[in-house]
Amino acid sequence: MIGRLNHVAIAVSDLTSASALYRNALGARVTAPMALPEHGVTVVFVELPNSKIELLEPLGAASPIAAFLAKNPSGGMHHICYEVDDILDASARLKAGGARVLGDGTPKIGAHGKPVLFLHPKDFNGTLIELEQV
Ligand code: CO
């Protein structure tokens, strides 16, 4: 059901310095910051030849990554994103198998303008999984 790895996301407390670290120390191409109020984050993408790294900074008081950063003040790996062809079909199959889809279970529009949803980390080996329809 899942296809390519779309991105790995890292939560950071300071997006400007994290972007500079990837740009300068690692010599990577980094996109301009993009605010996603519906997701409570500001993101940039580090563009790699075979995938992307998403750097996430909290946006707003109710950011879903605030608690994660409180526990991991220097930042850390937050989620991985797999591509799927049909997100509603994927969601239905996962729910039928007992997996928990986060939120109200309805896909939201993600950072690439495509529908995404998240699966509970306790159902997937302690890893928060994002599915993105491509
Ligand atoms: Co993501």
Side-chain angles (χ1 to χ4, degrees):
M1 183 169 71
I2 59 170
R4 284 163 38 103
L5 173 69
N6 186 277
H7 61 267
V8 174
I10 298 171
V12 304
S13 57
D14 183 340
L15 197 56
T16 304
S17 66
S19 296
L21 186 66
Y22 269 82
R23 203 175 274 125
N24 301 329
L26 295 175
R29 272 180 44 183
V30 183
T31 63
M34 181 169 30
L36 299 173
E38 195 190 347
H39 294 274
V41 293
T42 303
V43 306
V44 300
F45 285 95
V46 178
E47 297 175 337
L48 306 177
N50 63 341
S51 196
K52 295 183 281 288
I53 305 298
E54 180 182 62
L55 303 177
L56 301 169
E57 179 187 68
L59 174 65
S63 174
I65 63 169
F68 180 91
L69 280 168
K71 274 184 253 162
N72 305 277
S74 56
M77 208 203 86
H78 185 262
H79 67 264
I80 57 179
C81 177
Y82 300 118
E83 298 180 354
V84 294
D85 291 329
D86 182 336
I87 203 160
L88 294 176
D89 176 62
S91 174
R93 283 168 65 168
L94 285 155
K95 282 184 199 159
R100 286 166 285 181
V101 177
L102 298 190
D104 62 8
T106 314
K108 287 185 183 175
I109 298 302
H112 307 108
K114 296 179 176 152
V116 301
L117 53 75
F118 288 88
L119 305 174
H120 200 297
K122 287 198 172 136
D123 297 335
F124 290 94
N125 313 105
T127 305
L128 178 60
I129 291 180
E130 178 180 20
L131 298 178
E132 178 175 302
Q133 179 173 297
V134 293

